Amino acid sequence: MRFGKFQSLFTFMVLVLQVAVNELVDADTSRTYPYVYQWPAIQWACEPLLETPFPADLPPLKRKTRNLCLKLRGGKLGGGKGESTTASTIEADEFDVSLVSDEFVFSLFQENDGSESDPDGIPRRYLKMQNNKRDNAKKALEATIEWRKEHNVNSILARPHPKFDVCKEVFPHYFCGRDDSNHVILLQRPGLINLPLAYANGLTGEELLFHYVYEMEYLWQIIEKENPDATMTSIIDLTGLNISVLRRAELLKVAQMFCTTMDAHFPQRSHRTLLINAPKWFGAIYKLISPLLRESTKQKIQILSKGKKQDEALKDLLSECPNSTGQQLEEIPPSDMEAELRNFCLARLDDAGMSMQTVVTA
């Protein structure tokens, strides 16, 4: 499943939930589309679709979503005040990239990724991303090349990352091993993002995005360097997620940056997605929109709540992962690859004569 497909699903969920919240809070005024569009959750969900350069090429579900977004925004093509959000900005501490070692500078192109034999030099992932529409795949590839150049992504692993520990504390996430089919597992807990801790440590949303790209580059360029078409399993622990999150503009902005960046510049990297510890309302919304999804997409998404079914699913999936006796399955610890990632980061800091930033308690 592509990140884009997951975002389409989540887009509908956000739209339905946000309208429901508006109706509960102010039944007299929330029925007007312009009012609804003022909510950050609506703008986060709609902007990626409204700004797409190829609206005619969107799949049916995304076109329906985009049409709804146009109605919610009253047919205008800008934000509420004609503003737009740049979602792919990467911010890191100032550093002279000319000083980095070539040993850890990586290209978008990988050996045996299909680009060597393609007449236009397009990797298989980009063709698959665009359903083999060559012109669109070429444009998407060119956009990623330009994005990597603008933000020095090729050298991101060679540069020091002093806020690594801060990012890990603010947004709990880690590699916890491989699943039963040998895909790397990334466990994430978005409902536990700690904004006060981010403020206390001077961490911006752009820096958190820099960190996430850093991790993705490490995964694909180092952990999975022998497999250019590798995909990962995502376990998204929804502990702490509630409807009030939809009113938090800072979180929604970060989520938008993550989704649009992953969708545009790391296509075809998702094997399957498990959403665990889901609140009851989350499953109800999914049931409402699931008939709109392709069967192949639904097969790659599994929504689970606490209980026997979730325990059984995790037991099979995590059979190759480390676990302590008596520990709850959803509390699986980080794997050795997580420790290796941090050691890699520490080594690059040492190369640059820098130290890891100490995490300040909020």
Side-chain angles (χ1 to χ4, degrees), residues 82-94:
E83 300 174 350
S84 62
T85 301
T86 300
S88 58
T89 300
I90 298 180
E91 180 180 297
D93 293 335
E94 290 295 326

Side-chain angles (χ1 to χ4, degrees), residues 39-79:
W39 290 90
I42 293 292
Q43 295 180 24
W44 169 80
C46 285
E47 283 182 355
L49 295 174
L50 293 174
E51 295 175 0
T52 180
F54 311 114
D57 295 327
L58 290 172
L61 176 60
K62 284 191 175 182
R63 286 203 301 272
K64 290 179 182 179
T65 310
R66 187 174 186 275
N67 289 337
L68 176 57
C69 289
L70 286 170
K71 290 180 180 180
L72 289 173
R73 198 161 61 179
K76 298 178 182 179
L77 293 179

Side-chain angles (χ1 to χ4, degrees), residues 160-232:
H161 180 15
K163 292 188 177 181
F164 178 93
D165 284 352
V166 173
C167 292
K168 288 288 185 178
E169 290 293 326
V170 169
F171 174 28
H173 64 285
Y174 52 83
F175 296 119
C176 53
R178 292 182 181 271
D179 64 17
D180 53 353
S181 54
N182 204 39
H183 296 86
V184 171
I185 301 173
L186 178 64
L187 187 147
Q188 307 170 73
R189 295 190 169 100
L192 299 182
I193 287 180
N194 190 331
L195 288 180
L197 187 64
Y199 300 147
N201 288 273
L203 182 70
T204 67
E206 288 76 14
E207 287 174 322
L208 194 56
L209 176 61
F210 166 90
H211 168 82
Y212 203 80
V213 172
Y214 185 97
E215 291 224 352
M216 291 299 100
E217 284 290 296
Y218 182 85
L219 172 57
W220 307 127
Q221 303 287 3
I222 294 181
I223 296 178
E224 296 283 28
K225 63 181 179 180
E226 303 299 330
N227 185 1
D229 296 317
T231 55
M232 72 175 179

Side-chain angles (χ1 to χ4, degrees), residues 73-352:
R73 198 161 61 179
K76 298 178 182 179
L77 293 179
K81 297 181 180 179
E83 300 174 350
S84 62
T85 301
T86 300
S88 58
T89 300
I90 298 180
E91 180 180 297
D93 293 335
E94 290 295 326
F95 184 77
D96 187 350
V97 296
S98 67
L99 301 177
V100 302
S101 168
D102 290 342
E103 181 182 0
F104 300 112
V105 174
F106 298 96
S107 167
L108 160 70
F109 301 99
Q110 295 176 278
E111 187 176 357
N112 299 320
D113 66 358
S115 61
E116 304 98 326
S117 58
D118 186 85
D120 295 307
I122 303 174
R124 284 183 296 271
R125 292 187 297 110
Y126 282 80
L127 287 167
K128 189 174 181 181
M129 169 195 190
Q130 297 293 343
N131 295 317
N132 289 315
K133 294 179 180 177
R134 183 165 291 276
D135 288 345
N136 289 355
K138 189 174 182 180
K139 290 178 182 178
L141 175 62
E142 290 170 349
T144 295
I145 292 173
E146 182 59 31
W147 171 79
R148 292 178 71 93
K149 180 180 179 180
E150 179 182 356
H151 299 292
N152 295 310
V153 175
N154 285 3
S155 64
I156 195 170
L157 293 179
R159 285 143 55 194
H161 180 15
K163 292 188 177 181
F164 178 93
D165 284 352
V166 173
C167 292
K168 288 288 185 178
E169 290 293 326
V170 169
F171 174 28
H173 64 285
Y174 52 83
F175 296 119
C176 53
R178 292 182 181 271
D179 64 17
D180 53 353
S181 54
N182 204 39
H183 296 86
V184 171
I185 301 173
L186 178 64
L187 187 147
Q188 307 170 73
R189 295 190 169 100
L192 299 182
I193 287 180
N194 190 331
L195 288 180
L197 187 64
Y199 300 147
N201 288 273
L203 182 70
T204 67
E206 288 76 14
E207 287 174 322
L208 194 56
L209 176 61
F210 166 90
H211 168 82
Y212 203 80
V213 172
Y214 185 97
E215 291 224 352
M216 291 299 100
E217 284 290 296
Y218 182 85
L219 172 57
W220 307 127
Q221 303 287 3
I222 294 181
I223 296 178
E224 296 283 28
K225 63 181 179 180
E226 303 299 330
N227 185 1
D229 296 317
T231 55
M232 72 175 179
T233 290
S234 295
I235 299 179
I236 302 177
D237 186 348
L238 299 180
T239 298
L241 184 69
N242 54 63
I243 291 181
S244 66
V245 170
L246 300 178
R247 295 180 179 278
R248 303 179 70 176
E250 305 99 321
L251 286 180
L252 294 168
K253 179 183 177 182
V254 171
Q256 179 186 353
M257 289 193 297
F258 275 46
C259 287
T260 54
T261 300
M262 293 302 108
D263 185 29
H265 305 306
F266 294 90
Q268 299 296 317
R269 287 301 195 183
S270 181
H271 170 61
R272 62 184 298 195
T273 299
L274 272 74
L275 297 102
I276 65 172
N277 296 324
K280 292 181 179 178
W281 56 263
F282 194 92
I285 295 298
Y286 179 75
K287 287 181 180 179
L288 179 67
I289 66 167
S290 61
L292 300 173
L293 303 178
R294 294 188 185 94
E295 192 60 35
S296 59
T297 299
K298 289 190 287 185
Q299 289 175 356
K300 294 182 180 181
I301 301 172
Q302 191 171 7
I303 301 176
L304 302 164
S305 298
K306 281 186 179 293
K308 185 177 180 180
K309 185 177 180 181
Q310 175 171 291
D311 289 344
E312 291 176 350
L314 290 176
K315 184 177 180 180
D316 292 338
L317 182 72
L318 305 175
S319 59
E320 302 300 318
C321 296
N323 196 6
S324 300
T325 302
Q327 187 176 42
Q328 294 293 318
L329 288 169
E330 65 265 30
E331 296 174 0
I332 188 158
S335 67
D336 289 343
M337 66 179 69
E338 185 68 22
E340 291 165 1
L341 166 60
R342 186 173 186 275
N343 288 337
F344 175 89
C345 181
L346 288 171
R348 303 291 75 74
L349 285 168
D350 187 61
D351 290 343

